[in-house]
Amino acid sequence: MSKILFVMTGADHWTLADGTEHPTGFWAEEAVVPYEAFTAAGHEIVVATPGGVVPTVDKGSLAPEVNGGQEGAERTAAALDAFTALQHPIELAEVNLDDYAAVLYPGGHGPMEDLSADAGSGRLLIDALGSGKPLAVVCHASSALLAAAHADGSNAFAGYRVAAFTNAEETQAGFADKAKWLLQDRLTEAGVQVQEGEPWAPNVVVDRNLVSGQNPASSTAVATEVLKKLS
């Protein structure tokens, strides 16, 4: 059994342009779907967060309307309860990449608050990229790539093709005019080639050992691509 590292946000809010703290965290589907796929394939999941704090789930991601109805919402909630590693995260700064076969970053608006500027996470991403091991980011977790800067300030992912939560989706979600910055814009400024798909539809991009998904609906395909790389 190999271990797969989930690097997750430690934030429970996202600071908007006017200083308002919007309650958030990680998006349930983006953690639960890969967790179930990987454990079903026999892998062990270890969770790491900045400071080793227990990650907060975005309450909005547990609502029936984003889970296909009440039954789906109950299934997601039950899956979160079964994901016991969430309650026992390790400190991100203490991660030894050699211990893991792959690394995955689930999204939610939380990573926009902390992982987008976390130097330790940035170093881990650079190391993971260089290792050739499968490295996956889902939705807003692509914001973590912004912290993967070389000493000269250039981004380690410049020139890579990546799927990420788009400006169109942020607009439709009602946050584009409230955010300090938009993910698609910042990635583009860093030299990352954002491959925009249809809003809310699955869109997964694989470039070398990097697997990225645009939105929650892309979680299943991201997990599938990571498992392909591990087989």
Side-chain angles (χ1 to χ4, degrees), residues 60-100:
S61 68
L62 301 177
E65 53 266 32
V66 297
N67 285 282
Q70 184 61 35
E71 183 178 339
E74 292 173 359
R75 187 167 57 247
T76 296
L80 274 181
D81 288 341
F83 190 171
T84 54
L86 287 170
Q87 301 304 315
H88 307 282
I90 64 172
E91 161 66 70
L92 180 56
E94 297 176 359
V95 166
N96 181 351
L97 184 61
D98 292 341
D99 294 338
Y100 304 97

Side-chain angles (χ1 to χ4, degrees), residues 24-160:
T24 187
F26 70 90
W27 197 259
E29 181 178 3
E30 297 167 20
V32 163
V33 169
Y35 167 78
E36 292 185 328
F38 296 158
T39 54
H43 301 287
E44 177 185 350
I45 307 304
V46 176
V47 173
T49 63
V53 301
V54 174
T56 298
V57 64
D58 188 315
K59 297 296 192 294
S61 68
L62 301 177
E65 53 266 32
V66 297
N67 285 282
Q70 184 61 35
E71 183 178 339
E74 292 173 359
R75 187 167 57 247
T76 296
L80 274 181
D81 288 341
F83 190 171
T84 54
L86 287 170
Q87 301 304 315
H88 307 282
I90 64 172
E91 161 66 70
L92 180 56
E94 297 176 359
V95 166
N96 181 351
L97 184 61
D98 292 341
D99 294 338
Y100 304 97
V103 179
L104 180 138
Y105 281 63
H109 278 115
M112 299 275 281
E113 183 74 17
D114 59 356
L115 296 178
S116 64
D118 189 291
S121 172
R123 287 190 295 272
L124 176 64
L125 284 165
I126 292 172
D127 291 344
L129 192 65
S131 74
K133 296 178 180 183
L135 169 63
V137 291
V138 186
C139 198
H140 286 95
S142 296
S143 63
L145 307 183
L146 297 170
H150 294 304
D152 64 2
S154 64
N155 191 281
F157 293 88
Y160 274 76

Side-chain angles (χ1 to χ4, degrees), residues 5-16:
L5 180 71
F6 278 36
V7 179
M8 302 183 66
T9 179
D12 61 4
H13 68 275
W14 177 34
T15 306
L16 303 178

